[in-house]
Amino acid sequence: MQSSRCKHGRSSSQIALSMHIILWAVAAMRGGVLYASCDNVAQVHVSSLPSPVECSEEGRCKVRNYQGVWTDRDACLASRVVYPSTEAELVSAVAAAVEEGQKMKVVTEIGHSMSKLSCPAGDDGLLISTRDYMPDAVHVNRSDMSASVDAGLQLRHFVRELALHNVTIPHTPLWDGVSVGGVIATGSHGSGFFEGGSVISDYVNALRMVVPATAEEGYAKVLTLRRGDEAFRAAKISLGLLGVVSKVTFAVLPMFKRSLTVKLVSDDDLEERMAPFAKEHDFASLFWVPSASKVLYKEENAVDVSQEGDGVNAFPLVQPMLASHILKMRAHQDAVERSRDASGLCMAGEKMVEHRVKTGDGYVNSPGRFDGFPVVGFNHHMQTVGGCQLHKPSSSDVGADDWWTCKWDPRLEGIFYHHTAVAIPLASVADFVRDVKRLREINPQGMCVLNMFGGIHVRFVASSDAFLGDKVDSAVFELVYYRARDGKQGRLFQDVMEEIEQMMVFKYMGKPHWGKNRNVAFHGVAQKVVSTDKFLSVKAELDPDGLFSSAWTDELLGLHDTFAKADDDHCALDGICTCNEDRHCSPSTGYTCQRGYIFHEARVCRSSN
Ligand SMILES: Cc1cc2nc3c(=O)[nH]c(=O)nc-3n(C[C@H](O)[C@H](O)[C@H](O)COP(=O)(O)OP(=O)(O)OC[C@H]3O[C@@H](n4cnc5c(N)ncnc54)[C@H](O)[C@@H]3O)c2cc1C
Ligand SMILES: *[C@@H]1O[C@H](CO)[C@@H](O)[C@H](O)[C@H]1NC(C)=O
Ligand SMILES: *[C@@H]1O[C@H](CO)[C@@H](O)[C@H](O)[C@H]1NC(C)=O
């Protein structure tokens, strides 16, 4: 249809340079190698990621997200942190705070959610960390096919332990550094309609929770909520607002394998193909690279465990990378932004998709080797992976100042991005895709900024009965795009990303992922979920004084409307507001507030340069 749109006749060395801008491509080239060396790199130092909580000697604490910076760039303060390792310690931590009327929040070992969910109200709240919370780790019961796990356990250990028992949870997120409690609190998901759909909370049978209680009850108590209880539907996606989840019991299946084939095709009929494709494969998902007019369809299905194959998703984004390399890549990205020229990114987009399919799109048939599709492997290996968070003994082969780590390591001023993830009802995806294509017609180069992080990732989720879950079967569109370290700096084709974001949220009434996104995406979210009212009545019962809530989470639940009132200079650059005056953008650097091209109701910051 328009495959020559982004060809600008660059030399091959320029192309090679452009490839370094692209997180996915560069990582993919190294991915297989890194995976192979992952378990025998005793001679390199792999750091563990730092805790999200830091306390000064005087005992004041700060909590941040995994990138080190909250959406609003403000610090989050708290008075203290505790690290319970038994349920009794958990009960006494909650009881002490309730007795004092102190606000509190659960934080986790790494703390991945970008949105300000784990920031307690005020600046003298209590942080209850689940870092050490795994008193009995994992229990598998094969007679009722369930598995109980302590909420602090990292997914990496959980899925591996299940595999040792020959059982598995059909869907889990891509990244294994998250905690079990964190995953279900935000309704995290995999992709596809296999079994009950890909929202992990929908595989929970029961939850043990520590919640506030009266003085007579000792200020805190332990509840068990089960499938069938009204409160359970609130607790299975709770945003941490009801109390502390101590133990989670999941329904499990006998271990199975997945078989994956990735196909690269034109996006000509994407609008018609997307919804049927979602239901044709158990774990269907895709990457859309609009600048190259290409789609990578991931045809992924469950197969019998006896089928041969020991494939692994060596997902490049979570493989360790040298700190020095991460900084170099970021410097390339900064340079592209400064040049205000996307043509290198446009060029690199086509190379990237071809390279991805040719090299297995991050998958390997056996450790370190890609021999061709299909890739067949155990369910958990094909779905949930990591590596960059691992702690390895230190040694010096990379030099004293360098170390292996994750690309987002907050100790580096490395890779830094916005992450918009919004679930659009499957019934509307055709119209949405058509709108994005119309936007591309008007502004072809604008789509190229998506190439920096690999294109638009699309995954599928089923409707849920969780009160804060999705009402209908949906496609989650994820856009990852450059974020400046300087909050006053506009971005390359910022207007295009903003128009897509506002279309998703306001025109297509998409529901944002609770743990990702910028404030704009959460506008009106209370009306988009199964039942905010029912959630609120369970919350009033379990935490009547709102000790686990903050102004931010009240806002999410529609209790007040500060998002709409955000009015600071530059507020639209970080998605704190949608602009309606130029000062919300960055007029001094040429960004003013304008209408969307396709969605005229959109208000976006557009550069005149
Ligand atoms: C690299 C990467 C890949 C990702 N991949 C996916 C993906 O494939 N699919 C997807 O859907 N999401 C994905 N995410 C998002 C991630 O799954 C969510 O942000 C998740 O909530 C993070 O879990 P966490 O353990 O870090 O919890 P946090 O982010 O620290 O906490 C999230 C919320 O849960 C609450 N909470 C945590 N534990 C408890 C507990 N025991 N009791 C009560 N409340 C609790 C916290 O208070 C907070 O409100 C990804 C994130 C990253 C960084
Ligand atoms: C396993 O599940 C069965 C059936 O629900 C139950 O009777 C049994 O007590 C469980 N075993 C354990 C150790 O919890
Ligand atoms: C898991 O399956 C393997 C191979 O069939 C078997 O040897 C092993 O005993 C099983 N483990 C458990 C805990 O059932």
Side-chain angles (χ1 to χ4, degrees), residues 139-146 148:
H139 282 289
V140 173
N141 186 341
R142 288 197 69 99
S143 68
D144 69 351
M145 286 306 275
S146 71
S148 300

Side-chain angles (χ1 to χ4, degrees), residues 558-595:
L559 299 178
H560 47 77
D561 197 16
T562 47
F563 289 168
K565 296 193 194 98
D567 185 41
D568 291 339
D569 288 357
H570 314 296
C571 60
L573 299 179
D574 271 336
I576 303 300
C577 66
T578 51
C579 65
N580 48 48
E581 291 176 53
D582 289 345
R583 65 183 181 83
H584 295 149
C585 301
S586 183
S588 64
T589 59
Y591 286 81
T592 54
C593 186
Q594 318 253 335
R595 276 173 196 285

Side-chain angles (χ1 to χ4, degrees), residues 106 108 111-113 174-175 179 182 185-186 188-189 239 245 459 513:
V106 181
T108 62
H112 295 92
S113 296
L174 273 171
W175 161 235
S179 71
T186 57
S188 292
H189 58 85
L239 311 183
V245 172
R459 288 185 283 177
H513 189 303

Side-chain angles (χ1 to χ4, degrees), residues 303-369:
V303 295
D304 194 81
V305 72
S306 62
Q307 192 147 331
E308 219 167 292
D310 195 13
V312 172
N313 180 1
F315 186 48
L317 300 183
V318 298
Q319 302 303 320
M321 188 178 263
L322 283 174
S324 57
H325 197 98
I326 296 170
L327 290 172
K328 240 179 258 164
M329 189 181 288
R330 175 66 180 185
H332 281 308
Q333 296 182 342
D334 290 337
V336 170
E337 283 287 328
R338 270 196 309 274
S339 75
R340 300 218 174 175
D341 177 5
S343 54
L345 281 168
C346 296
M347 205 58 231
E350 291 180 46
K351 295 263 156 204
M352 171 186 72
V353 281
E354 278 157 27
H355 176 81
R356 279 176 63 171
V357 204
K358 235 185 287 157
T359 54
D361 202 25
Y363 290 81
V364 288
N365 305 80
S366 55
R369 269 182 75 109

Side-chain angles (χ1 to χ4, degrees), residues 140 142 161-167 255 305:
V140 173
R142 288 197 69 99
E161 184 68 26
L162 291 180
L164 291 177
H165 290 86
N166 298 332
V167 298
M255 179 55 84
V305 72

Side-chain angles (χ1 to χ4, degrees), residues 202-259:
D202 289 332
Y203 295 88
V204 176
N205 285 340
L207 289 164
R208 260 175 92 84
M209 296 194 61
V210 179
V211 299
T214 61
E216 299 76 63
E217 293 169 309
Y219 297 108
K221 64 185 177 201
V222 180
L223 287 183
T224 300
L225 302 175
R226 290 191 180 79
R227 230 180 252 244
D229 301 342
E230 181 90 346
F232 177 76
R233 293 176 64 188
K236 65 189 234 181
I237 301 180
S238 72
L239 311 183
L241 301 181
L242 305 179
V244 190
V245 172
S246 163
K247 204 177 257 305
V248 187
T249 305
F250 288 93
V252 295
L253 292 180
M255 179 55 84
F256 60 90
K257 285 184 176 173
R258 293 185 183 201
S259 172

Side-chain angles (χ1 to χ4, degrees), residues 32 112 191 223 244 332 383 396 423-424 453 458 497 590 592:
H112 295 92
S191 187
L223 287 183
V244 190
H332 281 308
Q383 170 74 6
S396 58
I424 292 179
F453 294 91
V458 183
M497 292 304 106
T592 54

Side-chain angles (χ1 to χ4, degrees), residues 153-165:
L153 197 68
Q154 234 181 62
L155 207 55
R156 179 179 184 87
H157 305 297
F158 182 41
V159 298
R160 288 173 179 212
E161 184 68 26
L162 291 180
L164 291 177
H165 290 86

